Amino acid sequence: MFAALEVDYSESDQDPTGEAFNNAEKMLTFYELDLGLNHVVRKWSEPTDNRANLLVQVPGGRSGTTGDFDGPSGVLICCEDHIIWRDMDSPQHRVPIPRRNNPLADPNRSVIIVATVMHKMKGAFFFLLQSEEGDLYKVTLEHETIKNAESDDAFVEVKSLKIKYFDTVSVASGLCILKSGYLFLASEFGNHYLYQFQKLGDDDDEPERSSSEYPQNGMADPHSALPVAYFRPRPLENLLLQDEMESLDPIIDAKVLNLFNTDTPQIFAACGRGARSTLRTLRHGLEVEETVSSELPGIPNAVWTTKLREDGKLYIHDSYIILSFVNGTLVLSIGETIEEVSDTGFLSSAPTLAVQQIGADALLQVHPHGIRHVLVDKRVNEWKVPAGKTIVAATTNKRQVVVALSSAELVYFELDLEGQLNEYQDRKPMGSTVLTMSIGAVPVGRQRTPYLAVGCEDQTVRVVSLDPESTLETISIQALTAPPSAICIADMLDASIDRNNPTMFVNIGLSNGILLRTVLDPINGQLTDTRTRIFQIPKLGSKLKQDTIPLAYTPRKMAVHPQYRYIYLAESDHRVLGPQETQKRLSELGKQGKKVPQAVLDLPPEIFGRPKAEAGQWASCIRVLDPVNSASVFDVALDNNEAAFSIAVVPFTGLNNEYLLAVGTASDTFVAPRSCTHGYIRLYRFLEDGRNIELLHKTEVDDVPLALLAFQGRLLAGVGNALRIYDIGKKKLLRKCENKAFPSAIVTLTTQGSRILAGDMQESVFYVTYKQNSNRLLIFADDTSPRWVTSHTMVDYETFAAGDKFGNVFINRLDQSISSQVDEDPTGAGILAEKGFLMGAAHKTKLLAMYHVGDIVTSIQKVSMVAGGREILLYTGLHGTIGTLVPLVSKEDVDFITTLEQHLRGENQSLIGRDMLSYRGYYTPVKAVVDGDLCERFALLPPARQSAIAGELDRTVGEVLKKLESLRVSSSGF
């Protein structure tokens, strides 16, 4: 059986008055799949509530084992303000959805269910329904099986439909109850959560509403509302938060900056909606959690942790922390607290080069003047270096020790079966100062690892044998581009080489920040398949370190001061009361003798949200953020129902190039259709090196300023469909120039020199030039396709890249001859004399590239993500997407990647059977862009298919994977 909500729009399409649409009935229809005829039969259809928006299936039918009914069948119809249970030829039951008891909220706002989940238990079931404010309701059906005494026939009769408040969580796009007693919540916006059920809400004091309380089970008058039921929100009682999955959804705006002065820039993303909004800093690194802390006497230059015994069952955790300083060593004992210990046998008066738990129960310390072998009974066997020499590098494992002397000699030690450390009779001269060394772990069932990697000052890495038959003989040499700073031999699983067994790699870190990964052949010790990497964390948003700063309202736009490391953010929320309006309404309620419980006012908005107000009400502020210290340092709340929509940092020539903060606001704004009583451009002066701002003056404009930009020492503003240039004045901004020829509204602005690119809300990007001699803003080129632009950036003087609201990224270019002609016209007279083409400007841009990314692009920037790497286009999407468009600079790369893409298109790897070529050209055929996500799936193909495709490319599988990795990492760092 299938159920559907249906509306017949045939009459509505022919009625221009709209009456037919208002009178159209919404039908609840049941369909049945006839397996014999293999088609669907419409079995039953009846009118239902016109405000119905969601159907939830109710268990029904008999169990195959016990013969009992699982439930009454039918559906729950979720409507505005109430729930209806309905089945064919059965009496309906209706119950109101409880709403929050908050006098500040809009009383005319309906309660709508947005997410549901049903859970079956042995002999029972229940539903969790969630409203658009995040409140969970538990819904149950009280039913009874009625049997016919004269026959075996039986049916289920519903006695009542019950609903009660359960808990409040973030608004979900999906809910899932696991059999293990957990609730997974996939949030509509923000992080996802995993909750554990503490109880099912059966034994609490929350009032429960039942359909049996109302005449005819709530259906006495289906067209009239039921009496309103209220509840008071509270902290979690039935659920316990167990885990949280970070999500960037939604990204409203983003900037790529290097505020931390590191080798790679950081991504600053303004994310979230309402009181759950955040500013997130994404940078390379992993999250850590501080468990215990202890003050240190100085700055350590190395740290180790070690166990006391080899037995992994009895001694699971490390017991000591060893810190090496310039002039000594500190040993700390790990327990409930961290305490310094002095009876470990380690030499504390010298720095430490290496620490190892060696053998069954001994410890080893390597220091510049020797090796200390500390036995279990605290006896110490010490080896001292020859006079006039010191140890400069060391590497160890559980049975082997190698040290490098200042004379460029290697000394090798090995543990015998009695636990004694013995020196090999010969020493290996290297011919160059040893900088770093590494030996791998001893393989299971072996006495030793056969290879040692040595990095030398002559920019080489040498593999030295530790086999008894060829001890300390050089096997292979790898030349480097810079001196090595660290080496690590490790066995790692690489599916491109061997899917089943780990591969031995030599990871070489160079002093210039490059990481080389070379395969070490376990048979002959040769180094092969060297890959160059920039050390990075591969996954955005999950493996990158996220620093989060909470915000008060939904972020709109952000700006950065070029001299101070602060971010300035415009925040605003629609249908939310600001602080001033909240106090005003509280005082009015007090005068009327109505008191609002303090517990309701004290509910944290980041959990429960803010009370929903009527349309046209806004809460807004301007915030100063310190991303380096992850703190909000200052904020200015906007009053008089003003909301901030745009922001920019502008140097004004009239103030000796002093930087001011310009903020575009509007009062009493309605979203659709867009309108406001007044628009404003506020100017703020920076105080305390950018930590504070002070209002300078406020200029009234006639529409919402959606885009602001610094332009030649003045302010460029997109106010509705007008593009204006403002200069500084004593009491307000002075309008110097204007062009009102834009079709709808200007939403994005970029500039180079005297050229301006203005993104129109519905008509793509316009090329504008400012002619100073005649003081004119002139449109001289536009796009042939009307696009709903959401963001754009200039790739070069003639080219721009942009994203639209349908999930497309496109690149357009203006002919260079037209560009030169416009620049050479001093007054713009030639532009004015030209005749328009295709109901627009005289010149049109040419489409160079087109690609459907599947997400609404909220920002796009031309940046270099890797030190010394090429510039790329980095974009962010509304659903938390962060992606890059990497230019291919050689014909070889283009031929390779396009051929690989053609092969992978035929593999049908989409989970939903989607054709990738048609998807990437969803609105316009894809042009000049290769699907990198599809190419990366080459690594997931079966080995046979990988080999076949690699053969078509005249490469090995390893070479294909290496080329893909090189194209991605060398340019984007991801």
Side-chain angles (χ1 to χ4, degrees), residues 493-531:
L493 189 65
D494 189 330
S496 66
I497 299 175
D498 191 334
R499 286 178 173 266
N500 303 313
N501 301 304
T503 303
M504 184 178 291
F505 290 101
V506 180
N507 297 281
I508 308 166
L510 305 185
S511 58
N512 59 3
I514 300 297
L515 174 67
L516 300 179
R517 196 189 74 173
T518 302
V519 176
L520 177 59
D521 193 309
I523 305 300
N524 55 27
Q526 296 299 313
L527 296 173
T528 59
D529 192 16
T530 301
R531 302 189 185 186

Side-chain angles (χ1 to χ4, degrees), residues 525-694:
Q526 296 299 313
L527 296 173
T528 59
D529 192 16
T530 301
R531 302 189 185 186
T532 303
R533 298 181 171 193
I534 307 297
F535 185 70
Q536 42 86 31
I537 306 298
K539 291 186 179 179
L540 282 169
S542 57
K543 295 295 181 65
L544 284 180
K545 186 179 187 305
Q546 288 192 27
D547 295 323
T548 302
I549 307 175
L551 307 175
Y553 310 112
T554 303
R556 300 294 173 176
K557 292 292 181 181
M558 58 195 302
V560 182
H561 198 289
Q563 298 172 352
Y564 310 131
R565 297 182 184 180
Y566 294 107
I567 291 177
Y568 304 91
L569 200 62
E571 305 174 30
S572 57
D573 268 334
H574 188 217
R575 287 183 173 267
V576 173
L577 299 178
Q580 184 188 43
E581 183 66 21
T582 300
Q583 292 301 322
K584 177 182 176 182
R585 296 197 180 188
L586 286 175
S587 63
E588 290 177 356
L589 290 172
K591 293 176 182 178
Q592 298 171 8
K594 300 177 182 179
K595 291 186 177 181
V596 180
Q598 191 62 36
V600 174
L601 298 177
D602 292 340
L603 290 174
E606 63 273 12
I607 298 175
F608 296 92
R610 290 185 169 85
K612 299 298 182 182
E614 57 275 8
Q617 282 291 333
W618 292 80
S620 182
C621 73
I622 304 161
R623 189 177 301 275
V624 183
L625 300 158
D626 181 2
V628 176
N629 297 312
S630 297
S632 173
V633 296
F634 188 76
D635 65 89
V636 177
L638 301 184
D639 51 14
N640 297 323
N641 203 25
E642 265 190 77
F645 295 96
S646 55
I647 193 169
V649 176
V650 183
F652 282 95
T653 307
L655 292 177
N656 297 323
N657 289 322
E658 178 186 353
Y659 285 95
L660 298 179
L661 181 67
V663 182
T665 67
S667 60
D668 305 325
T669 308
F670 286 86
V671 178
R674 189 184 73 257
S675 65
C676 65
T677 56
H678 300 283
Y680 301 99
I681 298 178
R682 290 168 166 253
L683 278 189
Y684 290 88
R685 176 167 272 133
F686 295 104
L687 305 175
E688 301 176 14
D689 293 334
R691 289 178 59 90
N692 198 341
I693 55 176
E694 177 186 48

Side-chain angles (χ1 to χ4, degrees), residues 395-397 400-402 437-441 449 451-453 466 489:
T395 182
T396 63
N397 61 25
Q400 297 163 285
V401 180
V402 183
M437 298 188 298
S438 177
I439 54 176
T449 185
Y451 302 117
L452 163 71
L466 298 181
I489 298 179

Side-chain angles (χ1 to χ4, degrees), residues 166 357 393 422 424 465 533 592 660 876 947:
F166 190 73
Q357 192 279 310
N422 300 316
Y424 182 68
S465 173
R533 298 181 171 193
Q592 298 171 8
L660 298 179
T876 60
S947 301

Side-chain angles (χ1 to χ4, degrees), residues 720-745:
N721 67 340
L723 181 64
R724 296 171 181 168
I725 296 177
Y726 288 95
D727 205 347
I728 191 70
K730 290 185 177 181
K731 294 186 177 181
K732 65 177 183 178
L733 288 169
L734 307 176
R735 188 192 306 179
K736 295 295 184 179
C737 186
E738 180 182 45
N739 187 316
K740 301 183 72 172
F742 294 88
S744 55

Side-chain angles (χ1 to χ4, degrees), residues 349-398:
S349 60
T352 298
L353 300 177
V355 172
Q356 178 71 49
Q357 192 279 310
I358 195 166
D361 52 12
L363 296 177
L364 185 87
Q365 178 194 22
V366 181
H367 56 88
H369 303 291
I371 301 174
R372 293 175 69 85
H373 186 195
V374 184
L375 305 179
V376 66
D377 56 4
K378 302 300 180 184
R379 289 185 295 118
V380 177
N381 295 330
E382 188 164 8
W383 177 86
K384 295 185 178 180
V385 300
K389 300 179 181 180
T390 58
I391 298 175
V392 294
T395 182
T396 63
N397 61 25
K398 291 201 175 280

